[in-house]
């Protein structure tokens, strides 16, 4: 878990630190930032801080920079610009562009070779996955590294060492390749010093504490040096958790052993050879500068080794140098590699091993936690992303807001629910499946303790679950179980993307929209804002009006540059007008919490801002019969007069006290969301279903909810609404009240409201052949083109099969000059493109 317990307020720790401080007046430094750890993550950050004009930067390392003890020394140096998450690709693309010029700028030999990368398809499933990847290309700004699907002949043309008989195709990314990681590290350090920053080797922290009065960090080194800094950055790599202990943190990382080898073949590799990656046997191969091969892989889950002893007791100074090679753990991957690359069969094997740190989902921990304590650690792809992440974090530190949407890497995304068992088990699964890009429902370490009070009931009734920031979230339900129908009505499937579940989804949707459905929304992020100045904080943080007592409002938090930080639902339900509940997305909860707390501290508001998701659960009743069910459970008046739209009521439903909220904003249907204590969820669920059976109630999941919100034209965060746009471009400028004198981002919002934009969000309907293949429905990031043209005029943000329209429906960014009568095409990675047109009006009259 990532929780702070600063040990500076009292006791022996404080006394000892005070005694040390008295002896350090003669060797004191003041810095904007101190970065602990001089690997590629830390040195890239300091390099980019100096590029932003920040010269008072200190880069510290407990040993000498770039030694064999650390991870960067052992990195295979793969620089890959392809990635399954679209928002991560610009980070990688920037790294490629930077590495091209870094050698000339710094004078250090980087040895960046750019023959490209080929990801091999040796089966049809992987080939289909690559086809879908190609369909999700860039819309406006093209990638500097072009990605294309190669035929077997084209693969062999670029990599003649491969066995053509085994190859069905390949995903080729041009202009990336591999770099000498040690040279890259030296170049970043040289660039830091050239830019005015300082690098201190053999700098061992003896204590780190936060001075609340001066709002700064104090770092005391064993040589007597004392450093005052506004920002403290932990970029310690395998030593990051040891550094964290000095500040009272415990990081959600593991230290993994990684096996690799230098292979000396009888015949040298071709002069130009792309890096080769096989996703199925999870190995990588690249040529070295001296005519050999560097080979590595990710062991099967039963062979993965984590150094939990080092997590508990600290990492020895020797680090990776202490790890013994056990190359036999890669036997299966190596046998497959020899089958695919015959030249490796008689190669001499020089086995090697190293360790690196990683987080449970494989993304690094990047960004602030609190009190200007920053993380940049836990990288599985440190060399590929070091350049882009270094700039991303430097911009965030200097500008006070993240420069782009990259919630995947939020430093505090793992909260108290992420115990050590979860961290280890989930990391083990992620490591063993590192090259598996497919959207399989990975079950490692699941479920966590982050399940709702009715998880067992939903599972019993045929629920199929996805995973969102620790939560088990129901995606859809099995008709055969829920309705006790014949099994052939709804084939059993664990992934709703596969063909065959659509009849079940249609049935689920029809039952909800014609009768009633219950959905568990306990996974939603919930932040409570209360205290004397709660209303003042909400007025300052929100760009629009704050709802009156007993009302619900849609709110926006903007960055100071006017970009969309967070679309929110705000509930005002306390009789003293001092309590609000902010409803957010689970992946964004920690960021929104940090932002609200920082705003409160900036204005010195008397207010408490706390996450309450762990005990405050919610269920939603949706559909035309939902009012009738609600009325049978309560003595309160739930008519339009007694319980109007966009209002809240304290209400007892059956045996449970609740806060009920009425809003159709998301669904366009008659809807009630019922907030209650998590311990009461099962009682409330049973009461609702006990009454609801006679009204045709069913369970439903995220997939049906997505259908309803798209048919309603409702835009959601992470899809249509992200940090990379603003309210006026997104068509929700009505939620910004420019008449108000002060709120965060107001000045920028005024200017943005006057601009014209070259794109807009639109709903698109597509022709479809029946029976529909769910895999042929656009789901996000597919590129739109005008019919008969290769010109890119739009990009899908989210999609579904619309039961109401009986065709695929999607939101998309489209060029402003695209007309409603134009025919657009989209390739979703299948053999045939879909044709579509802009939908000018939503297909039904929503409940108001």
């Amino acid at each position: 878990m990532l929780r702070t317990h600063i040990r500076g307020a009292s006791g022996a720790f404080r006394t000892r630190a005070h005694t040390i401080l008295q002896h350090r007046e003669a060797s004191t430094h003041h810095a904007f930032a101190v970065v602990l750890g001089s690997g590629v993550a830390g040195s890239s950050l300091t390099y980019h801080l100096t590029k932003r004009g920040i010269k008072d930067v200190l880069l510290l390392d407990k040993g000498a920079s770039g030694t064999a003890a650390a991870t960067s020394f052992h990195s295979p140096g793969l620089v890959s610009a392809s990635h399954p998450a679209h928002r991560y690709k610009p980070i990688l693309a920037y790294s490629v562009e930077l590495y091209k010029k870094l050698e000339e700028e710094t004078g250090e030999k980087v040895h960046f070779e750019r023959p490209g990368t080929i990801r091999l398809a040796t089966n049809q499933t992987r080939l289909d996955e690559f086809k879908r990847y190609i369909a999700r290309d860039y819309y406006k700004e093209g990638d500097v590294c072009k990605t294309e699907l190669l035929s077997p002949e084209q693969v062999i043309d670029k990599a003649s060492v491969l066995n053509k008989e085994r190859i069905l195709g390949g995903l080729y990314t041009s202009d990336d390749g591999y770099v000498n990681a040690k040279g890259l590290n030296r170049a970043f350090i040289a660039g830091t010093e050239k830019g005015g920053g300082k690098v201190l080797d053999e700098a061992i922290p003896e204590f780190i504490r936060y001075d609340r009065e001066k709002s700064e960090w104090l770092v005391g080194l064993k040589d007597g040096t004392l450093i005052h800094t506004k920002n403290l950055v932990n970029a310690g790599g395998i030593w990051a958790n040891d550094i964290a202990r000095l500040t009272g943190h415990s990081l959600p990382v593991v230290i993994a052993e990684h096996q690799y080898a230098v292979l000396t073949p009888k015949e040298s590799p071709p002069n130009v050879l792309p890096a080769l990656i096989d996703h199925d046997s999870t190995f990588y191969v690249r040529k070295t500068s001296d005519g050999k091969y560097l080979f590595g892989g990710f062991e099967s889950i039963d062979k993965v080794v984590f150094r939990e002893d080092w997590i508990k007791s600290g990492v020895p100074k020797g680090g990776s140098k202490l790890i013994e090679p056990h190359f036999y753990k890669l036997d299966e991957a190596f046998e497959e590699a020899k089958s695919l690359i015959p030249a490796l069969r008689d190669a001499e094997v020089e086995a090697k091993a190293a360790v690196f740190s990683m987080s449970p989902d494989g993304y690094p921990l990047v960004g602030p936690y609190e009190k200007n304590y920053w993380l940049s650690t836990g990288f599985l792809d440190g060399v590929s992303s070091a350049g882009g992440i270094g700039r991303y974090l430097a911009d965030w530190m200097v500008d006070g807001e993240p420069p782009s949407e990259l919630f995947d890497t939020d430093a505090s995304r793992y909260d108290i629910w992420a115990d050590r068992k979860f961290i280890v088990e989930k990391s083990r699964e992620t490591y063993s499946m590192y090259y598996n890009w497919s959207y399989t429902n990975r079950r490692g370490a699941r479920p966590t303790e982050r399940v709702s009070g009715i998880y067992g009931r939903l599972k019993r009734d045929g629920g199929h679950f996805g995973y969102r920031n620790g939560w088990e979230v129901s995606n859809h339900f099995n008709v055969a179980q829920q309705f006790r129908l014949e099994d052939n009505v709804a084939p059993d499937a664990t992934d709703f993307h596969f063909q065959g579940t659509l009849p079940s989804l249609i049935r689920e949707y029809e039952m909800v929209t014609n009768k009633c459905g219950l959905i568990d929304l306990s996974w939603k992020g919930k932040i409570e804002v209360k205290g004397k100045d709660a209303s003042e904080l909400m007025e300052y943080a929100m760009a629009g009006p704050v709802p009156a007592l007993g009302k619900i409002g849609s709110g926006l938090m903007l960055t100071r540059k006017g970009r969309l930080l967070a679309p929110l639902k705000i509930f005002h339900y306390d009789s003293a007008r001092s309590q609000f509940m902010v409803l957010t997305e689970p992946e964004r909860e920690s960021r929104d919490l940090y932002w609200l707390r920082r705003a409160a501290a900036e204005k010195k508001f008397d207010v408490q801002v706390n996450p309450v998701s762990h005990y405050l659960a919610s269920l939603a009743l949706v559909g035309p019969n939902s009012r009738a069910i609600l009325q049978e459970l309560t003595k309160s008046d739930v008519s339009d007069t007694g319980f109007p739209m966009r209002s809240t009521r304290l209400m007892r439903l059956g045996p449970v006290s609740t806060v009920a909220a009425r809003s159709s904003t998301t669904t366009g249907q008659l809807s009630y969301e019922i907030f209650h204590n998590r311990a009461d969820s099962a009682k409330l669920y049973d009461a609702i279903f006990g009454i609801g059976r006679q009204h045709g109630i069913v369970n439903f999941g995220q997939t049906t909810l997505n259908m309803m919100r798209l048919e309603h034209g409702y835009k959601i965060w992470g899809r249509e609404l992200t940090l990379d746009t603003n309210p006026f471009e997104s068509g929700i400028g009505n939620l910004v009240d420019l008449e108000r004198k002060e709120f965060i981002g107001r000045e920028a919002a005024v200017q943005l409201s006057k601009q014209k934009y070259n794109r807009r969000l639109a709903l698109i309907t597509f022709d479809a052949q029946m029976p529909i293949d769910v895999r042929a429905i656009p789901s996000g990031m597919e590129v739109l083109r005008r019919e008969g043209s290769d010109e890119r005029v739009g990009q899908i943000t989210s999609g579904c099969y619309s039961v109401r329209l009986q065709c695929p429906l999607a939101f998309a960014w489209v060029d402003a000059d695209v007309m409603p009568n134009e025919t657009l095409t989209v390739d979703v990675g299948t053999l045939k493109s879909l044709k579509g047109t802009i939908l000018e009006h939503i297909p039904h009259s929503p409940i108001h």
Side-chain angles (χ1 to χ4, degrees):
M1 62 182 177
L2 191 59
R3 279 294 187 207
T4 301
H5 307 285
I6 301 299
R7 301 173 298 167
S10 60
F13 179 84
R14 183 176 182 179
T15 302
R16 174 172 167 270
H18 179 73
T19 302
I20 295 171
L21 286 175
Q22 291 179 326
H23 296 86
R24 303 199 172 209
E25 298 299 328
S27 55
T28 301
H29 297 273
H30 293 268
F32 171 82
V34 169
V35 180
L36 302 169
S38 65
V40 290
S43 58
S44 174
L45 173 58
T46 54
Y47 166 84
H48 283 94
L49 283 171
T50 63
K51 287 294 184 183
R52 290 297 307 270
I54 307 296
K55 299 184 182 299
D56 49 340
V57 172
L58 281 173
L59 178 61
L60 311 184
D61 199 281
K62 67 182 297 180
S65 301
T67 65
T71 300
S72 297
F73 183 92
H74 297 270
S75 169
L78 298 179
V79 181
S80 176
S82 52
H83 196 278
H86 209 269
R87 57 191 162 270
Y88 209 74
K89 289 166 68 177
I91 294 289
L92 305 175
Y94 172 79
S95 293
V96 171
E97 287 289 83
L98 175 64
Y99 299 170
K100 289 179 182 179
K101 60 186 180 183
L102 203 55
E103 184 171 310
E104 181 179 353
E105 178 190 334
T106 65
E108 291 288 341
K109 294 290 185 182
V110 174
H111 299 291
F112 184 26
E113 297 185 41
R114 307 195 305 277
T117 301
I118 299 179
R119 298 173 184 272
L120 305 174
T122 57
N123 58 65
Q124 191 61 45
T125 299
R126 193 65 61 188
L127 187 62
D128 290 343
E129 180 181 81
F130 289 165
K131 288 178 181 178
R132 289 193 292 272
Y133 182 91
I134 290 295
R136 293 171 167 87
D137 208 337
Y138 280 93
Y139 155 42
K140 282 294 185 187
E141 297 181 8
D143 192 343
V144 295
C145 303
K146 304 299 181 185
T147 303
E148 59 183 314
L149 192 65
L150 301 183
S151 67
E153 292 74 20
Q154 290 172 315
V155 170
I156 299 302
D157 184 59
K158 293 184 179 296
S160 59
V161 297
L162 289 166
N163 177 2
K164 183 180 178 180
E165 302 301 318
R166 296 289 315 282
I167 305 299
L168 297 184
L171 189 70
Y172 174 61
T173 309
S174 65
D175 210 33
D176 63 10
Y178 32 89
V179 69
N180 182 297
K182 297 183 285 293
L184 178 65
N185 199 178
R186 289 193 298 266
F188 278 138
I189 290 172
T192 295
E193 293 177 322
K194 186 177 180 181
K198 293 187 174 71
V199 181
L200 300 180
D201 290 332
E202 305 295 337
I204 302 174
E206 190 168 10
F207 75 88
I208 303 172
R209 73 176 180 88
Y210 187 70
D211 188 326
R212 297 178 186 277
E213 293 183 3
K214 296 182 179 179
S215 299
E216 66 179 11
W217 288 92
L218 301 177
V219 181
L221 304 183
K222 286 190 175 180
D223 66 0
T225 300
L226 176 65
I227 305 168
H228 298 252
T229 181
K230 177 182 177 182
N231 297 287
L232 181 72
V233 185
N234 184 344
I238 58 174
W239 288 281
N241 203 54
D242 295 350
I243 294 170
R245 284 197 189 95
L246 294 174
T247 57
H249 291 73
S250 177
L251 302 187
V253 295
V254 296
I255 298 173
E257 290 191 4
H258 184 68
Q259 305 296 325
Y260 69 104
V262 175
L263 308 178
T264 305
K266 290 185 177 180
E267 295 185 11
S268 296
N271 290 331
V272 178
L273 180 67
L276 302 174
I277 294 173
D278 182 62
H279 282 223
D280 290 291
S281 52
T282 66
F283 72 76
Y284 57 84
V285 174
R286 73 164 178 89
K287 68 181 287 290
T288 65
S289 58
D290 56 353
K292 301 178 181 181
Y293 290 100
L294 186 67
F295 171 89
F298 296 86
E299 300 97 297
S300 59
I301 196 167
D302 58 310
K303 295 178 182 177
V304 177
V305 174
F306 293 149
R307 297 305 302 261
E308 285 295 280
D309 54 332
W310 288 5
I311 289 289
K312 294 175 182 177
S313 305
V315 179
K317 188 174 182 179
S320 285
K321 292 191 293 185
L322 304 178
I323 303 300
E324 295 183 6
H326 296 292
F327 192 69
Y328 67 88
K329 293 182 178 181
L330 295 181
D331 280 352
E332 292 180 16
F334 191 43
E335 287 302 313
E336 181 68 5
K338 288 189 289 186
S339 173
L340 287 166
I341 309 171
L344 301 183
R345 290 172 183 168
D346 298 320
E348 179 184 332
V349 177
E350 182 185 357
K352 295 179 177 291
V355 287
F356 60 84
S357 67
M358 62 173 284
S359 73
D361 60 11
Y363 284 98
L365 305 171
V366 180
Y369 182 62
E370 61 178 356
K371 301 185 185 72
N372 291 325
Y373 183 90
W374 305 77
L375 297 180
S376 186
T377 194
F379 288 84
L380 253 175
D381 61 344
V383 169
S384 284
S385 59
I389 289 292
R391 183 179 69 163
Y392 169 83
L393 188 54
D395 288 346
W396 192 346
M397 293 173 69
V398 174
D399 297 334
E401 61 185 65
S404 60
E405 188 62 83
L406 201 62
F407 62 86
D408 316 72
T409 65
D410 275 0
S412 55
R413 64 189 182 272
Y414 297 106
D415 210 324
I416 55 176
W417 58 268
D419 58 18
R420 197 66 205 167
K421 179 176 180 291
F422 165 83
I423 292 166
V424 171
E425 289 186 12
K426 196 66 177 176
S427 298
R428 193 181 305 279
E429 179 190 65
T430 298
Y431 180 91
S432 67
M433 299 179 71
Y434 179 60
Y435 282 135
N436 190 333
W437 284 1
S438 61
Y439 300 96
T440 52
N441 193 16
R442 300 182 181 182
R443 297 297 307 177
R446 292 173 54 190
T448 70
E449 67 171 33
R450 219 173 198 191
V451 294
S452 77
I454 59 170
Y455 172 69
R457 284 165 168 77
L458 299 180
K459 190 173 182 180
R460 175 200 66 193
D461 289 340
H464 294 281
F465 295 87
Y467 173 85
R468 294 188 63 176
N469 202 36
W471 288 100
E472 293 293 329
V473 180
S474 55
N475 284 327
H476 67 109
F477 287 80
N478 190 314
V479 170
Q481 285 179 251
Q482 186 158 199
F483 299 108
R484 306 297 187 263
L485 300 177
E486 296 299 324
D487 286 344
N488 61 5
V489 174
D492 192 12
T494 58
D495 188 340
F496 69 87
H497 292 286
F498 288 105
Q499 185 177 15
T501 60
L502 192 57
S504 183
L505 295 177
I506 291 172
R507 176 66 169 158
E508 184 176 293
Y509 170 94
E510 289 175 337
M511 289 296 293
V512 175
T513 55
N514 290 317
K515 294 185 178 181
C516 183
L518 184 74
I519 184 170
D520 180 12
L521 296 178
S522 299
W523 48 269
K524 286 278 189 179
K526 305 171 197 74
I527 300 171
E528 185 179 68
V529 179
K530 64 181 181 179
K532 183 171 70 71
D533 298 330
S535 292
E536 286 77 4
L537 171 60
M538 298 299 289
E539 293 282 354
Y540 179 59
M542 303 298 159
V546 176
L549 179 64
K551 297 294 183 181
I552 305 168
S554 295
L556 297 178
M557 288 198 299
L558 306 182
T559 72
R560 298 193 183 279
K561 295 181 180 180
R563 296 177 300 142
L564 267 169
L565 181 79
L568 306 162
K569 276 188 181 178
I570 306 166
F571 300 86
H572 191 176
Y573 62 92
D574 184 74
S575 59
R577 289 190 59 81
S578 62
Q579 192 159 323
F580 297 85
M581 183 164 59
V582 177
L583 204 63
T584 182
E585 298 299 321
E587 298 86 354
R588 206 185 59 232
E589 184 177 10
S590 60
R591 188 172 77 185
D592 292 351
L593 183 69
Y594 177 84
W595 189 266
L596 284 167
R597 284 176 171 174
R598 194 180 73 166
E602 177 188 340
K603 289 291 187 176
K604 296 182 171 56
F605 287 138
D606 182 2
V607 66
Q608 295 85 50
V609 182
N610 295 304
V612 294
S613 306
H614 59 288
Y615 72 83
L616 187 63
S618 67
L619 304 175
L621 268 172
V622 179
N625 293 350
S626 56
R627 178 185 281 121
I629 296 172
L630 205 64
Q631 189 63 79
E632 291 191 47
L633 288 166
T634 185
K635 295 179 180 179
S636 301
D637 181 5
V638 297
S639 67
D640 282 332
T641 302
F643 198 178
M645 180 63 67
R646 301 181 74 79
S647 65
T648 66
R649 293 289 183 271
L650 296 173
M651 187 179 295
R652 190 168 186 84
L653 295 178
V656 178
S657 296
T658 72
V659 176
R662 181 184 168 193
S663 174
S664 65
T665 305
T666 304
T667 64
Q669 309 289 324
L670 182 63
S671 304
Y672 302 90
E673 190 163 357
I674 306 164
F675 298 90
H676 58 281
N677 192 302
R678 177 182 175 185
D680 293 329
S681 290
K683 288 187 291 185
L684 181 61
Y685 178 87
D686 291 343
I688 291 173
F689 261 80
I691 297 296
R693 286 190 181 92
Q694 61 186 315
H695 297 281
I697 193 171
V698 296
N699 291 300
F700 73 101
Q702 272 196 122
T703 309
T704 291
L705 185 66
N706 190 52
M707 288 184 192
M708 290 189 291
R709 71 95 182 171
L710 278 165
E711 291 176 347
H712 184 42
Y714 184 75
K715 302 158 187 170
I716 61 172
W717 173 82
R719 294 293 190 158
E720 292 74 45
L721 309 177
T722 74
L723 194 63
D724 299 323
T725 185
N726 66 70
F728 308 99
E729 184 182 35
S730 303
I732 56 172
N734 61 301
L735 297 179
V736 180
D737 183 3
L738 297 176
E739 298 300 316
R740 293 173 54 212
K741 291 184 179 180
E742 184 183 23
F743 59 82
I744 296 174
R746 183 186 181 281
E747 291 184 9
V750 169
Q751 297 304 314
L752 291 169
S753 69
K754 300 174 182 177
Q755 293 183 16
K756 291 185 177 180
Y757 297 95
N758 60 5
R759 64 175 187 169
R760 71 184 190 279
L761 282 167
L763 279 169
I764 314 287
T765 57
F766 295 94
D767 297 337
Q769 293 183 346
M770 300 301 288
I772 188 74
D773 183 343
V774 178
R775 292 169 297 183
I777 298 173
S779 59
M781 307 316 300
E782 297 91 350
V783 174
L784 287 165
R785 294 174 169 84
R786 285 189 169 95
E787 185 180 25
S789 171
D790 196 47
E791 179 189 4
R792 304 174 185 192
V793 296
Q795 190 155 40
I796 304 294
T797 58
S798 54
C800 71
Y801 176 78
S802 169
V803 179
R804 187 180 296 271
L805 298 174
Q806 297 186 28
C807 68
L809 174 67
F811 253 127
W813 286 106
V814 296
D815 286 352
D817 63 354
V818 175
M819 304 304 293
N821 60 351
E822 290 190 72
T823 300
L824 305 175
T825 63
V826 62
D827 176 11
V828 294
T830 58
L831 295 176
K832 187 175 181 180
S833 295
L834 299 179
K835 294 182 180 181
T837 55
I838 293 176
L839 184 67
E840 297 187 72
H841 305 285
I842 62 173
H844 71 109
S845 298
I847 301 295
H848 291 295

